[in-house]
């Protein structure tokens, strides 16, 4: 599909998610505990997607590749090596922000 209002149901049913390396897409997938293969776009300027993919890969949370190596990655992947992504703590950030802004 080209566009869908929500991918929540698709992600819930998925055994594997293949995504671009946008931060929102990666974090949403990892928060749902789904294995993730990130396909980076090498044509992006300053390639922040590659930086994110490499960092998440170093942490053991995702596999990453580019379009030309996707098939090879899918054929050789071992999803059992992936580690769960730790949950976030937005309340800690909110408290920090309150202190910085002077609300506390």
């Amino acid at each position: 599909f080209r566009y869908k209002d929500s991918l929540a149901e698709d992600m819930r049913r998925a055994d594997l998610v293949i995504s671009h390396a946008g931060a929102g897409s990666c974090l949403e997938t990892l928060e749902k505990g789904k294995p993730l293969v990130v396909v980076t776009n090498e044509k992006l300027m300053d390639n922040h997607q590659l930086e994110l993919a490499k960092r998440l890969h170093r942490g053991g949370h995702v596999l990453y590749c580019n379009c030309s190596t996707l098939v090879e990655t899918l054929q050789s992947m071992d999803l059992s090596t992936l580690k769960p992504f730790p949950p976030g703590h937005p309340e800690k950030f909110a408290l920090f922000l309150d202190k910085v802004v002077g609300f506390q």
Side-chain angles (χ1 to χ4, degrees):
F1 47 81
R2 293 185 69 139
Y3 177 79
K4 210 171 188 183
D5 287 334
S6 173
L7 296 174
E9 180 60 22
D10 297 292
M11 284 186 148
R12 188 188 67 73
R13 292 189 328 232
D15 294 321
L16 171 69
V17 175
I18 301 170
S19 174
H20 73 131
S25 299
C26 290
L27 293 176
E28 182 179 359
T29 303
L30 292 171
E31 286 171 352
K32 289 183 176 17
K34 299 296 180 170
L36 176 60
V37 174
V38 174
V39 182
T40 61
N41 181 349
E42 297 173 315
K43 296 178 182 176
L44 288 178
M45 208 179 225
D46 297 327
N47 213 342
H48 62 281
Q49 286 194 4
L50 180 58
E51 291 176 36
L52 177 60
K54 283 182 176 181
R55 180 67 183 104
L56 291 172
H57 179 74
R58 275 196 308 270
H61 307 295
V62 306
L63 300 173
Y64 80 97
C65 61
N66 57 41
C67 288
S68 63
T69 60
L70 176 59
V71 172
E72 178 185 332
T73 299
L74 293 174
Q75 290 172 338
S76 65
M77 70 183 179
D78 180 0
L79 298 178
S80 70
T81 63
L82 296 178
K83 299 175 187 173
F85 191 72
H89 299 283
E91 66 281 356
K92 288 182 180 179
F93 179 70
L95 288 172
F96 169 76
L97 197 56
D98 284 349
K99 279 185 183 179
V100 169
V101 178
F103 291 139
Q104 282 187 336

